[in-house]
Amino acid sequence: MMKQLPPLLGPSFTPMAPISIAAIPEGKEWLHQLKWDGIRLLAEADGQEKLELYTRKMEERTASFYTIQQALLQHPSLREQRFVLDGEAIVMDPVLKRPSFPLILKRQRTTSAISQRDEAIYVVFDILHWNGEDLRQVPYEERHQLLLELFPDQTEYLLVTDAFEDGEALWAWVETHEWEGVVSKRRHSFYQEAKRHQDWFKHKKSLELQVLAIGYIEREGRVASLVISQCDGSYVGRVSIGLNEQHRSLLQAWCRSEGVIASPFGGQLPSDLRKERVIWFKKPIPIEVTALEWTDAGVLRHPKLVSLPARTNTISQ
């Protein structure tokens, strides 16, 4: 039987995490769900009108997601209940109609009110405790069914992610609509911290992005890597994979012809650039990159340069 609720969310707690896998698992023991491109968010309510929200690293972020907090507190199924939910905070891109990690990262960084079009939505995919009972040793399929009973309808800020039996069909949908990937979970799996399991797996598409090259890191007079940002100027990392000698020559020629500037970040230089010699472009260059994923800090993991597009007669393929 279920145990009474023990202390759970503390600094040492680590949410269960899916393990990367090369192919979607097959068989009736699996349920498959969309992988939402957002920020992991755990919600803990004490049953007395207190509800706090935590990231994957157990950083308290309640003020950043005030609308989610209020939506949970005011939900008729959850009022005056003690519970712990696990899910993802997302912001939908209004143009692409899919979750945008840069937008949700921007949302997390502010506690001020923002426009309704980019408010965060809480996508719930697990329930760990409910009304004083520990559910972590309850099979996942049963935990998901309880979520469907608690949240029978999607609201403006809350929804329960769907579970599908056909993983290949879901992957085909992901590829067609350019979403992030698929998470596969054993129907009878328990909730185990971190990746100490063989029950949750993720199969992801590589990211394909248009970003700006705003400068390059120079070492011993040579272009070592490009510094890249989003169009809004937010730093997203640096890329060296895919950078060849022709690119290096073209980039140096670009600086000579178009000029350079002081750091666009002023005194707020990203920490991983502070010990580097960076040559900043007067005119940023739009480029294409791929990457494995976004990190929690909003930086691309293992980015690779795909191309330097035509830029007058100076930058070309």
Side-chain angles (χ1 to χ4, degrees):
M1 294 298 291
M2 302 174 188
K3 300 177 182 178
Q4 289 300 306
L5 178 64
L8 176 65
L9 296 188
S12 63
F13 178 77
T14 304
M16 189 170 180
I19 299 168
S20 295
I21 195 171
I24 294 174
E26 300 179 354
K28 295 183 178 180
E29 66 180 305
W30 297 98
L31 292 173
H32 309 277
Q33 300 172 335
L34 286 171
K35 189 177 189 311
W36 298 84
D37 197 4
I39 292 173
R40 190 74 174 268
L41 206 63
L42 293 110
E44 181 175 30
D46 67 356
Q48 299 178 359
E49 300 187 355
K50 180 181 178 182
L51 188 146
E52 295 180 327
L53 301 170
Y54 299 89
T55 67
R56 178 177 61 85
K57 296 182 179 180
M58 298 313 299
E59 299 165 330
E60 201 264 325
R61 288 289 185 271
T62 310
S64 297
F65 298 108
Y66 175 78
T67 53
I68 289 177
Q69 181 209 36
Q70 293 303 303
L72 289 169
L73 284 172
Q74 297 169 17
H75 195 282
S77 298
L78 306 180
R79 288 176 183 165
E80 299 182 0
Q81 298 293 336
R82 191 180 183 190
F83 61 84
V84 174
L85 301 176
D86 195 354
E88 198 92 355
I90 66 161
V91 170
M92 297 295 289
D93 186 302
V95 177
L96 300 177
K97 306 300 182 185
R98 61 175 183 258
S100 166
F101 188 80
L103 286 179
I104 189 61
L105 193 65
K106 178 181 178 182
R107 183 68 187 94
Q108 181 186 230
R109 288 170 175 167
T110 180
T111 58
S112 61
I114 60 174
S115 61
Q116 291 295 321
R117 66 179 176 82
D118 59 358
E119 281 287 6
I121 300 170
Y122 191 35
V123 182
V124 187
F125 54 69
D126 214 332
I127 181 166
L128 283 62
H129 295 159
W130 174 247
N131 198 22
E133 296 179 332
D134 185 349
L135 305 181
R136 288 174 293 173
Q137 298 301 306
V138 172
Y140 178 74
E141 189 170 28
E142 294 182 30
R143 303 199 306 272
H144 186 260
Q145 182 58 42
L146 175 57
L147 287 176
L148 294 176
E149 294 170 3
L150 294 174
F151 301 92
D153 301 303
Q154 177 179 341
T155 67
E156 186 176 7
Y157 300 116
L158 300 173
L159 67 91
V160 175
T161 192
D162 292 317
F164 302 88
E165 295 184 342
D166 191 336
E168 290 301 324
L170 184 59
W171 178 253
W173 188 95
V174 163
E175 289 193 303
T176 299
H177 295 84
E178 299 183 348
W179 278 48
E180 187 185 16
V182 170
V183 175
S184 302
K185 301 176 180 178
R186 293 187 195 274
R187 294 176 184 268
H188 302 297
S189 61
F190 300 151
Y191 192 99
Q192 302 175 68
E193 290 192 32
K195 295 183 179 182
R196 298 191 292 269
H197 61 83
Q198 288 292 309
D199 295 318
W200 288 15
F201 294 98
K202 60 183 178 182
H203 182 53
K204 299 173 57 176
K205 291 173 77 271
S206 62
L207 300 175
E208 299 176 0
L209 301 162
Q210 294 275 350
V211 296
L212 294 177
I214 57 176
Y216 64 76
I217 293 172
E218 185 179 74
R219 294 177 184 163
E220 299 180 352
R222 185 171 181 270
V223 177
S225 58
L226 280 170
V227 179
I228 54 178
S229 76
Q230 293 276 22
C231 292
D232 64 3
S234 56
Y235 174 70
V236 294
R238 50 192 185 178
V239 55
S240 58
I241 302 173
L243 195 63
N244 59 36
E245 292 306 317
Q246 181 185 17
H247 294 147
R248 291 182 170 91
S249 297
L250 290 169
L251 290 165
Q252 290 175 322
W254 177 254
C255 287
R256 290 193 295 269
S257 66
E258 298 297 331
V260 297
I261 59 172
S263 169
F265 298 105
Q268 301 297 318
L269 195 67
S271 60
D272 65 329
L273 299 180
R274 291 172 187 166
K275 295 183 179 180
E276 302 286 0
R277 171 176 166 77
V278 183
I279 309 300
W280 301 101
F281 301 148
K282 186 174 182 180
K283 293 183 179 180
I285 305 169
I287 63 173
E288 296 179 13
V289 299
T290 61
L292 293 182
E293 61 184 355
W294 292 98
T295 70
D296 290 347
V299 174
L300 293 172
R301 191 184 304 279
H302 299 303
K304 178 181 179 180
L305 177 66
V306 176
S307 67
L308 289 172
R311 295 283 297 184
T312 65
N313 293 322
T314 307
I315 298 294
S316 60
Q317 273 303 104

